Structures are given as C-alpha cells and as structure tokens.
Amino acid sequence: MKAESLAAVGRLPLPHDNVAIATRYLAADTVIIDGERRFVLSHDVLVGHRFATQPIAAHTPLRSWGLPFGLAIDDIAAGTYVCNQAMIDALRGRDLRGLTVAGDLTIALPDRPNFIDHIEPFHLDAGTFEGAAAFAPLRDDRTFLGYRREAGRGVGTRNHLVVLATTSRANAVVRRIVERLARRAPPQATFDGAVAIEHTEGGGHGRPNNLDLVLRTLAGFMVHPNVGAVLALDDGVGYVTNEALRRLMVERGYPHQAVPCAFLTLTGAFEDDVAQGERVAARWLDTLRAARRTPEPVAHLTLALQCGGSDAFSGISGNPLAAWVAREIIRRGGAANLAETDELIGAEAYLLQRVRDVPTAERFLAAVARFEERAGWHGASAAGNPTGGNLLRGLYNIALKSIGAALKRHPDVRLDHVIGYGERHTLPGFAFMDSPGNDLESIAGQVASGCNLITFVTGNGSITNFPFVPTIKIVTTSERYELLADEMDVDAGAYLSGTPLDDLGARTFDLVLDVASGARSAGERTGHAQVQLWRDWPQRDASALARLAAEPAPAGASIPLVPLTGASRLRLPEPCPAAAGGVALILPTSLCAGQVALAIARRLEARGLGRGQGVRRFLALVHTEGCGVSSGASEELYVRTLLGYLVHPLVRHALLLEHGCEKTHNDFLRGRLVAAGIDPGRVGWASIQRDGGVARAGEHVERWFERAIAAAAEPALRSVGVGDLRVAIAGSAPPPPAAARGLAAITRAIVEASGTVVVAANAGVLAI
C-alpha cells in the first residue's frame, strides 16, 4: 500500500475541519499520514472530492471552512470517501475516463451515501450585533487609463457603441445592424467597436413578473460608463418598450441625457429597419473614435465578482484570489459587487461575520428568504442548484457550493450595501446584489448596477464573457488553465502549488489595472460574449402549485374534429416530390454553449459544407436552459424537447455541444437517449471545456460533420402527399374569424388525409 502525507495529497480549508479535499486522484487503500496518525482510504477518491480525516460520529456535522455541510448517517472512520446520494447518482452517469492517473481506470464508487445534506439555520441576534468598522483609506498613486463620462456616469474601461434590443423581438435587427457597423468601423485603439445586446425578455402581451427588473437592467446598460453611444430598438408592443424604458429612466434619475442615444421602433420591414438603424448609429462613429483615455484613480473601478462552473478549489484558490483583488480596490476607494443569492444559502454565517449594521444584514437575509420563497412557488428548491459539473468536481450540495462562493468576500472586508437586481449603485465599498445563480443573468444585473470590470472564477473552465465590460477569467487549477489557456487569464492553481496568495494577488491586481486601461482580456481576444437577463417567472405566489403538480401528463389522444356546416372541402394536391436533403443541427446542451454553437454553424454554413450531399443548411438552436434547469416536470419537458430535435425528420445530421459544467451535459443526455431507445451513435458529441476551449471545440465539430457527411448515403427521395404533413399551429392572439375558418378547413383536410396537426395548449385559436 502506498503511503502519502496528508499535506501532499489533501487540503484542509481550515485546520479544525474534519474532511479534506483530495488535490489529486487517490487510489483505494492509500495510507494517509497526518502527523502521528495514519489511516487508509476506503475507496478511489477523485480529485476535488472529500475524505474524512477524523472519526465522525453518526448524526454529527461534516465541516469544511469550519461550517457544516452534512450530517453523518452512521459513524464515519478516518479515510472514508464521504459522499451523498446526489454525488453518487451524478457520477454513475458520467464518463470518468481521464480523471484517474492512468486515464482509463475503472473507478469503484461507494454504493451508498454516508452523509445527508445539512444547512445550519442562521439567526441574526440584533441585540448583540456589532457593526464592523470600514477600511481606513489607502492613498497611493495607482491609476488606470479610462474614459471619464459626464453627469456622474463614472469612468469607462471600454468605449463601445451599443445597439440594444429593448425587446427580444428586435434581436435579429440589432444583430444585423452591428454586423454592418463592424464592417464600416472596426475596433481601433480608442474605439472598442459596436456590440449587440440581445436577450430573451419582452415580446409577450401580458405583464411579465420581471418587468421592473428588465427595465432597470436595460436602463443601467444605457448609462453605463463603458457605453459611448447607444441605439435602442423595440417593436412598440407589450410592456417592455422604449417608452416604458424612457419613463423609468426619467422617474428614477438615470443620466440618460448625458449619453448620445436614440430610440427606434421597428416598422416590420426588416431591411428598412436595419438600414435606418445603421444610419442613426453611424452618426456617432467619428465622435467615438475621437475619445481619449485619461489617468484615473482606482476609486473609479467597480468590480463584479462572479463564479461559474465551480469546483472544490473555487473556495481554496480562485475565489480568495478574486477577494484579494477586490480588497485592494475597496481600500483605494473603489467598489466590488457580489451576487448570486441562491449560491450563498448556507454561507450566511460567513458572509455576515463583518457587516456594516443590522439593517444591512437584515436586507441580505430578506433577499435570501425571498429567493427561497419564489423557488417554492414553482415546486423547486435552491438545494437543486449544483450542476453536473459541480458534482463531478467535488461540490456535493448547495452548502459546499455556497461556502466556497462566499469567500469572494475577503475576511478583512465588510458587507456595506445590499441592492436589488440591476439597481444602479455608485457608492464605494462591498455590495451584495440580489440575483439568480445563473452566471449570465447575474452578470447582466451587475453590469447594469455600474460594474466596469468583471472577475470570473471558474473550476471547470466557463467561457462566459459580457459584450461591453471586460471579463478576467481566474481558473482554480493549473491543469484546467493549461487545457483552456486561450480562454483563461489567471492560473490561480499556482497558489495550490506554493505561490503565496499575496504574490499572486499583486500580479492579478496589476493585470486588472492593465485590462481596465485597454489591454484585451482572453475573452475579448476570443471574441465570444453573450447576455441573459433575469428571466420571467410564471407564478406570483404558491396558490397554483397544488393544482399544477396534480395535473396529469397529456395522454396523447387526438382531439375529435367538429363537424363542418356549410363549408366546402379543400381540394387536396396531388403527391409531389419531397425536398431533397435536410439540416445539419448543432444542438447546445445549455445556455452557455448557445452562442458558440451559433458561431460554428454560421462558419459551416458559409463553407457550404455538405451541399449536394444531403445538407441544405447548418443550424444551431440556441436556448436558455441547461445551466440551472430545475428538476421534475420542467426538466423532463426540456429534455423531451431536445430529444425531439435530434430525431426530427428534417434533421439529417445532429451534434450535441456541451459547455461542460451544466446539469444537462453530454453524459446526461447520452443516458436519456439510451433510455428512449435512440442509438447515441447516430449523433455527434463535442465539449467546449473538455475539448480545450472555443477554437478547439469548433475544430472538433467541423471534423465530425465532415466525416458524417462523407459517410452518409445519398438521401432517398419519394413522392409525398398531404397525409405526410405534420403541421403545428401556434400564436398567442385569437385569429380573425376568416383566418380561423381557413385554419379549420386546412386542419380537416390534413387530418382526413391521415396527416397530423398539433395545436399548442395556449394557442389563441383555441379561445375562439
């Protein structure tokens, strides 16, 4: 049996913790030496996973960072691989090759859990509470080169022309305008280029529950110091409109008059709308290109603290490093912003160790309680937050994830402010912003609040970037840094290898000032960015929960046709040749893989790959799910939808592209394909994180499609008739009577010919 010292193979976050984090793969029966003590590992232990370093009695807490994250089911001996049911279930469905020393060893997992999840309830005692003192200001001559804006807008770290979709219905026009502006005015030394802000909100007829959040986030984008000019486009329909946006900015004192801006409403003529938008935006190009950076004190930096694709080392290396940098900015009069409410549940005791006063602590606790209540309205819980990537890399539950995430607050720094999602905030100090745990949604709120720089800590290797605020990526381990070097900026794994945190922090602080002064971050060099606002939630309270939970699943029975009176039958066409070929589909398994999938599809479409070989076009179906998809009925609906896309008759070739840390990752979907009786070999598989980043994943995807197209037989053509149609009827508004009668006649003709018509349950036609 091989012997190893605990210090060489494990990490105790705090000396009195009773479980350690394995810093590399450890084989079963390894002897661990801890001073005078010796104990033997019960199982193979994956890197980032935990094993007991002391005996833990049944029903007593397991602790990391001194905080409880679980209760022992039975007595746990030192050396035992500690695991809950969620981790066992997650690992059983994963391809674990590459996670052992040899890379292909079979890992013997525990067959049952030895602890249950546990969060210690936090109680604020206002009577004995004492507020923490603020930092004494540090005055030095450190500066960065930024764009000073008027009317209290702050100092920009970038100078962008932003074309903003006020509503999701303007996305396509916004995208095309920016494509034209990019050809007309590419980025240069003093102008960082035009960027499109697309999102999924607005576009409906009913009042959304997130209306105020959406409008104030868009308002924050418009007055952001990194925005040199902004063009906002809407369709004038519903509640999310330019008029509503302007009204909110006036009522709440946003300095929008200090920003060169314009508001346009779409006419419905796509090319005309694009041409008009380009003409309006082009008027600002000379002014934007004439802007100059000036030396500015660090006090004008507001840092967004983010993490995503977290692992067990996020709380050891990456988050403490980001906290170190935030401390240095705050000491110099600047600000930092922590977010992701549900990813702090269980870490309240740490976060509130240093806080300004009782009202600030109470506002934070109220935000947590409100988030838990909203999740409960939908039959969900924040306990379901950890993703497949979290579980694979050692974050067994929300308590462990939260404890590590909270370490983005440096122990010396106090919590000064608690603000709402997207709420504009200009005060110095450390602020908490209420937001969901989804990285992209959270970042959008932080940017809207005024953050002009982002540090993003990742264990798995998240590639998230924001279009007009630079993101500095801090990866927790050197192994992941080397795999994803093109996407990452800082190797926090150097701390695990012995580099003092102060030395690594000083180098990272220098990098922060360089990027703030115009140096390109890795994400900017890659050219990948995307935006997602805090999405609407359907329930306003818990009143409908029992009814929704009790609704039976659709039985799949047909709706009987109502007899027609006085209507003539449609004349059915004769059989005709089917269209040759189908689509080649890149299907992202999550929100964070969406824009990468879209870029690859556009590149393959431009190449003309597969033309004349059965491929009519390349597509990517971008969506908002996967990263934080909830369990139960909503997850089943989402997965069923993805599987339907993969086997759709118009899809000739399909490939699943995972980000790599999502809940519905490739291994998860491979298992669901098998369960549905679908051969996983009929689709392709690629991973942004495992393949080594955006560029390498793109090459992997292109090679797979080249092979699949070359190996495919010529498409077999046959004549088809109306009976081969599968027609969908959708639309939220009831159609005019004449249109309804026409739809009814078409439906009858198709169904009587043995075809199928599918009507959405919320289609307006059903209201007639």
Side-chain angles (χ1 to χ4, degrees):
M1 292 188 294
K2 186 176 183 180
E4 299 277 7
S5 71
L6 178 61
V9 299
R11 176 78 62 153
L12 285 169
L14 287 178
H16 298 298
D17 291 344
N18 54 14
V19 297
I21 302 168
T23 54
R24 60 177 173 81
Y25 165 76
L26 299 171
D29 297 327
T30 299
V31 177
I32 304 297
I33 303 171
D34 181 19
E36 299 298 318
R37 299 188 312 118
R38 290 177 174 241
F39 52 86
V40 180
L41 294 183
S42 64
H43 292 78
D44 300 336
V45 180
L46 294 174
V47 61
H49 288 236
R50 288 168 166 80
F51 57 90
T53 58
Q54 304 170 17
I56 304 171
H59 315 303
T60 61
L62 285 70
R63 297 181 180 274
S64 273
W65 291 279
L67 297 174
F69 65 88
L71 295 176
I73 297 172
D74 301 306
D75 292 346
I76 296 176
T80 302
Y81 189 174
V82 298
C83 52
N84 61 353
Q85 190 64 53
M87 184 274 279
I88 293 174
D89 292 343
L91 264 61
R92 280 178 178 158
R94 296 301 297 255
D95 177 2
L96 301 179
R97 290 174 298 177
L99 299 179
T100 65
V101 173
D104 57 357
L105 294 178
T106 300
I107 297 173
L109 296 172
D111 57 6
R112 67 184 188 91
N114 50 31
F115 79 88
I116 58 172
D117 299 341
H118 175 70
I119 294 178
E120 198 75 39
F122 179 82
H123 300 288
L124 178 67
D125 187 347
T128 60
F129 178 89
E130 293 185 7
F135 269 128
L138 173 66
R139 305 197 182 281
D140 65 12
D141 58 359
R142 300 298 297 270
T143 62
F144 71 100
L145 296 174
Y147 297 97
R148 179 172 287 275
R149 307 299 188 186
E150 298 178 352
R153 287 177 58 212
V155 175
T157 59
R158 294 293 181 268
N159 182 36
H160 282 285
L161 193 166
V162 169
V163 185
L164 171 68
T166 304
T167 171
S168 60
R169 292 182 176 178
N171 284 346
V173 175
V174 161
R175 190 183 316 125
R176 184 66 63 83
I177 292 171
V178 167
E179 289 171 358
R180 290 191 179 184
L181 289 170
R183 292 193 292 268
R184 184 170 183 168
Q188 59 182 56
T190 59
F191 172 54
D192 295 291
V195 293
I197 301 298
E198 307 170 50
H199 58 87
T200 61
E201 302 311 291
H205 292 277
R207 180 185 176 90
N209 292 324
N210 66 343
L211 177 62
D212 190 63
L213 305 186
V214 169
L215 290 176
R216 73 186 184 208
T217 302
L218 298 179
F221 289 171
M222 291 198 67
V223 301
H224 194 279
N226 284 13
V227 176
V230 58
L231 170 64
L233 295 97
D234 74 348
D235 66 347
V237 176
Y239 287 84
V240 182
T241 64
N242 283 342
E243 180 55 36
L245 178 57
R246 281 186 289 202
R247 186 167 57 249
L248 179 136
M249 288 194 290
V250 170
E251 291 173 353
R252 303 189 186 182
Y254 284 79
H256 64 286
Q257 293 178 329
V259 187
C261 65
F263 297 86
L264 296 179
T265 296
L266 305 180
T267 65
F270 183 82
E271 291 300 334
D272 291 345
D273 289 332
V274 171
Q276 183 186 16
E278 182 185 7
R279 284 194 300 272
V280 171
R283 298 187 314 220
W284 302 315
L285 290 174
D286 289 343
T287 300
L288 290 169
R289 286 183 288 210
R292 295 292 180 268
R293 292 180 180 268
T294 56
E296 302 291 345
V298 174
H300 286 298
L301 288 179
T302 299
L303 187 67
L305 295 163
Q306 266 294 329
C307 62
S310 301
D311 69 355
F313 301 106
S314 292
I316 300 291
S317 60
N319 288 336
L321 176 58
W324 196 101
V325 172
R327 182 193 65 178
E328 295 308 296
I329 290 173
I330 293 170
R331 290 175 69 199
R332 292 165 172 81
N337 181 310
L338 176 68
E340 298 181 303
T341 306
D342 55 324
E343 296 188 1
L344 294 170
I345 295 172
E348 296 92 342
Y350 174 79
L351 197 70
L352 297 180
Q353 280 178 351
R354 289 183 56 80
V355 62
R356 180 189 187 111
D357 51 30
V358 169
T360 303
E362 290 176 336
R363 283 194 293 274
F364 169 74
L365 294 173
V368 171
R370 184 169 57 248
F371 197 102
E372 292 182 297
E373 180 185 32
R374 283 179 180 166
W377 294 346
H378 302 82
S381 166
N385 174 287
T387 66
N390 296 148
L391 292 163
L392 176 66
R393 294 174 66 80
L395 296 181
Y396 302 162
N397 57 29
I398 188 60
L400 278 177
K401 189 173 182 179
S402 294
I403 294 166
L407 290 167
K408 290 193 287 292
R409 181 190 69 79
H410 192 279
D412 296 342
V413 171
R414 75 175 188 181
L415 175 62
D416 293 297
H417 315 284
V418 175
I419 63 174
Y421 180 82
E423 180 182 342
R424 190 164 182 264
H425 181 72
T426 58
L427 296 175
F430 190 87
F432 165 76
M433 185 196 74
D434 183 25
S435 83
N438 182 282
D439 311 328
L440 293 170
E441 293 179 349
S442 184
I443 288 170
Q446 290 177 301
V447 169
S449 76
C451 295
N452 53 7
L453 203 65
I454 302 164
T455 54
F456 191 104
V457 177
T458 181
N460 283 274
S462 292
I463 57 166
T464 298
N465 300 286
F466 193 84
F468 62 79
V469 178
T471 301
I472 295 172
K473 294 290 181 50
I474 300 173
V475 69
T476 62
T477 61
S478 297
E479 177 189 35
R480 281 277 151 164
Y481 179 81
E482 292 165 4
L483 176 65
L484 294 157
D486 291 341
E487 320 292 335
M488 302 294 134
D489 296 281
V490 179
D491 175 15
Y495 172 68
L496 300 174
S497 303
T499 301
L501 185 61
D502 287 344
D503 292 351
L504 191 56
R507 294 204 298 267
T508 306
F509 184 56
D510 289 342
L511 175 65
V512 164
L513 297 186
D514 288 344
V515 172
S517 300
R520 302 287 98 178
S521 68
E524 289 176 302
R525 293 193 298 270
T526 302
H528 169 265
Q530 62 190 113
V531 178
Q532 180 65 47
L533 311 188
W534 192 342
R535 285 165 282 185
D536 194 19
W537 54 91
Q539 305 301 319
R540 296 173 182 265
D541 55 38
S543 61
L545 183 58
R547 175 181 59 79
L548 292 171
E551 284 188 356
S558 299
I559 300 173
L561 291 173
V562 177
L564 289 175
T565 57
S568 60
R569 282 185 186 277
L570 291 179
R571 181 179 177 184
L572 301 182
E574 296 297 320
C576 60
V583 301
L585 174 66
I586 303 174
L587 185 56
T589 65
S590 65
L591 164 66
C592 290
Q595 294 302 316
V596 177
L598 188 62
I600 298 171
R602 287 173 176 163
R603 188 161 64 246
L604 291 171
E605 177 72 9
R607 275 185 58 186
L609 182 65
R611 297 286 156 66
Q613 297 170 281
V615 175
R616 300 180 65 191
R617 61 183 300 204
F618 276 84
L619 294 175
L621 292 181
V622 180
H623 56 83
T624 62
E625 302 308 303
C627 295
V629 66
S630 58
S631 58
S634 60
E635 182 177 284
E636 289 302 312
L637 176 64
Y638 164 58
V639 172
R640 190 164 66 240
T641 303
L642 291 191
L643 298 190
Y645 291 153
L646 293 175
V647 299
H648 194 281
L650 293 181
V651 174
R652 181 158 173 80
H653 303 287
L655 175 141
L656 285 159
L657 176 67
E658 69 172 9
H659 187 205
C661 54
E662 58 266 65
K663 192 172 184 181
T664 51
H665 45 77
N666 278 351
D667 288 340
F668 173 90
L669 288 169
R670 186 179 283 107
R672 297 304 294 267
L673 282 169
V674 171
I678 303 168
D679 178 11
R682 68 183 289 179
V683 301
W685 308 85
S687 173
I688 297 167
Q689 292 174 2
R690 281 197 174 192
D691 290 342
V694 173
R696 292 176 187 171
E699 293 168 0
H700 181 137
V701 172
E702 292 194 36
R703 287 195 299 270
W704 184 86
F705 276 110
E706 288 169 353
R707 292 194 301 268
I709 291 168
E714 286 294 318
L717 303 181
R718 65 184 179 89
S719 294
V720 298
V722 174
D724 292 286
L725 288 176
R726 307 290 184 265
V727 176
I729 296 179
S732 57
R741 287 192 295 270
L743 284 172
I746 293 170
T747 298
R748 174 172 290 277
I750 293 171
V751 171
E752 289 181 344
S754 300
T756 300
V757 176
V758 178
V759 184
N762 60 354
V765 68
L766 296 179
I768 297 176

